[in-house]
Every structure is written in structure tokens, then in C-alpha cells.
Amino acid sequence: MPPSPSRLSVIIAYFLIYVVWGSTYFFIGVCLRDFPPFVLGAIRFSVAGAALLILCGLRGECLFKRKLIMKSAVSGIILLFVDQAVIMFAQRFVSSSLVAIVASSTAVWIMLLDIPAWKHNFKNAAKVSGMLLGFVGVALLYVEQLFYDSASAKHSEYGVLLLIGGCVSWAFGTLYSKYCSSAEEEADGLTGAAWQMLAASAAFGVCAFASGGFSAADRLSASAASWLSLAYLVTFGSMLAYTAYVWLLKVRPAAEVATHAYVNPVVAVIIGAGLGGEDVTLTQIAGLAVILSSLMLVNKKRQA
């Protein structure tokens, strides 16, 4: 990767973490019809990590650097495993709508915990306003479903606390990945991303065995739609979008990259309406407009 990436490279990377990552909500839902959650995580990240590692080897990169593997393992477990496992577990206590709302607070947590960037972030009123406005926009996307689930008494403070813990974990993992890499490790960014996914897959595998997921899952009976969705998650969701995320953290401010937490639900709603036949309400359209406005504020250059 060049030290000063081209504008086109940055645009493509943002497209991957905004649009492609947002589309994974739909395809994860398809996969979960046939695969237990921990089994899905183990298969997805093991295949993606192994394939990416092979590609890095074919490019002539040094794959087995002990320091790189150790740091990548820490990032992978904090970023991929803890966050995803918490979301899966929290859905036992809270609705999917509340999961989406609380998960979007990741962008705010990254801004709060990114201490080296405080001087830049908190002196920019437009950026702070944009981050808060984006959270409101995500809430509007799901507010109607939230009231419906509240009537069903599905919510629990334990689930909310778990979700907040997952958001903080993702924020710490993001900042660890951004600031705790040497110049040599940054040059091996793709290799590091591969080891992150393999570490996460190992953690998912342990949980899958402990919960009996592998014995309970019958892959032979899985539908073609589930297999195709899994292939999409491996190639586009992990190999492309996740590596784009890791790379963007090296070349763009963490708070700016974190805005994917606001855009992903927008894409999920649009795809749910287009492919899943879900209804889109006026309140959700208002939420989309608010989120777009928040992105304009976050990316607005501060006037001299």
C-alpha cells in the first residue's frame, strides 16, 4: 500500500465497509437458517483467513512473524470474536432492533476513546454534531420495531450491557489496530488481517465445540442459498471489506472510518426491502435522511 493512497483507493475502501458490510446483515440472516452462530463464525473466518494467508504467501510476503501473529491475534479476538459473539448472545435478551441501535454507538465510543485525536475531534463542532446525529438517525430506522418489541417484553438490561461491552471491545480493537502497529507490520497489513481472522475463527471454533454446535449442525442439509450466502460473507464481507477496514485505519482518522456503524444499518434496511420484501416506512426514510446529513457533517472540512 502506498504511503499516500489515491483518492480512488480510499473511495473503493469506503464503499466496501459502507455498502458491502451493510449487505452482510441480510446474508448472515440467510446463513443462520442452517448454521448455528458459532459454527458460522468459525467457518467464515477460517476459510477467509486461510485464503487470504495463501494469497499473501503467493505475493511473497513473510507469513510467520511471531510479533505480527501475536498482535494480530489480540486484534482479531477483540475486534471480530468478542464483538460478534456478544451480538449473538445479546439477541437472547433483546430485540434485533435494539441490537442495531446500540451497535451503532460504536462510532461514538471510538471518538471518545481515541485520546490522541481528541484535539482534532472535539474542536470540530460539525464532527461531534454529525456523530451524535448519526446515532439519532439509526434510532429512527428501528424505532417502530423497537416499540413493537417493547410491547412483547423482550428487552433486558443485561442484553444492553452486553452490547455496550461489545461496542467498547470493537472500539478498543479498532484503536489497538490503528496505533499499535510498527511500520514493518503496516507493510504486512494483509497478512495481519489474515491472522486476525484465523484467531477469531479459533475462538469461534472453541465456543462451537463447547456449545455442541458442530454436532448439532448438519451441513449436508444446508440449502444452496445458505452456502452461497456463506461464500459471499467469506469473499466480500471478510476478505475484501474487513481488509479494507484494517487498511483505512492506517490512512484515515478512526472516528471517520467508524461512520460505517451508521451506514451499515441503512444498507441493511434497503437490501431487506429489496431482497427480503420488507416494508420501508416514512420514519425509516427520515432516519436515512438524518444519517446522510450526519455523514456530511462528519466529513465537512473545518473552516480556517
Side-chain angles (χ1 to χ4, degrees):
M1 296 296 178
S4 298
S6 67
R7 182 179 179 83
L8 179 60
S9 299
V10 173
I11 290 174
I12 292 174
Y14 269 112
F15 174 82
L16 289 171
I17 69 168
Y18 277 2
V19 179
V20 173
W21 250 357
S23 69
T24 59
Y25 284 93
F26 175 81
F27 293 103
I28 287 174
V30 175
C31 285
L32 288 176
R33 298 171 188 169
D34 295 307
F35 296 99
F38 288 126
V39 173
L40 175 60
I43 297 175
R44 174 185 176 182
F45 292 116
S46 62
V47 174
L52 187 59
L53 200 64
I54 291 171
L55 289 175
C56 291
L58 294 175
R59 291 176 56 188
E61 297 181 17
C62 182
L63 304 181
F64 300 99
K65 296 180 180 179
R66 185 174 179 274
K67 187 176 181 181
L68 175 64
I69 293 174
M70 295 299 293
K71 285 193 172 183
S72 298
V74 172
S75 297
I77 291 175
I78 296 175
L79 269 172
L80 295 173
F81 171 70
V82 174
D83 180 75
Q84 292 297 310
V86 162
I87 287 177
M88 293 174 187
F89 190 70
Q91 285 183 315
R92 296 183 178 183
F93 302 100
V94 299
S95 67
S96 58
S97 57
L98 186 58
V99 168
I101 293 171
V102 178
S104 70
S105 69
T106 300
V108 177
W109 283 109
I110 289 177
M111 175 178 275
L112 291 175
L113 296 173
D114 191 2
I115 297 175
W118 275 3
K119 183 176 180 180
H120 171 73
N121 289 338
F122 290 103
K123 283 189 175 181
N124 190 329
K127 184 181 291 289
V128 175
S129 300
M131 298 295 280
L132 297 177
L133 191 61
F135 183 77
V136 172
V138 174
L140 285 174
L141 285 180
Y142 295 98
V143 66
E144 292 164 324
Q145 183 66 30
L146 185 63
F147 287 141
Y148 173 81
D149 292 333
S150 296
S152 303
K154 192 179 179 181
H155 299 295
S156 167
E157 64 275 13
Y158 299 111
V160 174
L161 290 175
L162 279 171
L163 286 169
I164 292 174
C167 293
V168 174
S169 174
W170 180 272
F172 273 123
T174 294
L175 298 174
Y176 179 87
S177 180
K178 180 175 181 63
Y179 292 116
C180 295
S181 299
S182 64
E184 179 183 2
E185 290 167 334
E186 288 181 10
D188 296 324
L190 293 181
T191 304
W195 284 116
Q196 288 177 20
M197 286 186 273
L198 289 174
S201 72
F204 275 115
V206 170
C207 291
F209 275 114
S211 62
F214 281 117
S215 61
D218 184 6
R219 250 72 62 202
L220 295 178
S221 63
S223 66
S226 292
W227 282 111
L228 289 173
S229 296
L230 178 57
Y232 179 87
L233 293 174
V234 168
T235 54
F236 291 93
S238 296
M239 294 184 67
L240 291 177
Y242 184 69
T243 54
Y245 180 75
V246 172
W247 177 72
L248 274 173
L249 288 175
K250 308 300 180 185
V251 299
R252 302 299 298 172
E256 179 185 299
V257 179
T259 54
H260 75 85
Y262 298 148
V263 181
N264 291 165
V266 174
V267 177
V269 168
I270 293 173
I271 291 181
L275 298 181
E278 300 173 2
D279 294 330
V280 177
T281 66
L282 289 176
T283 303
Q284 289 177 322
I285 293 175
L288 300 181
V290 170
I291 291 172
L292 291 176
S293 300
S294 74
L295 293 177
M296 293 175 64
L297 287 172
V298 170
N299 294 299
K300 180 181 180 181
K301 293 184 177 179
R302 188 179 178 188
Q303 299 297 322

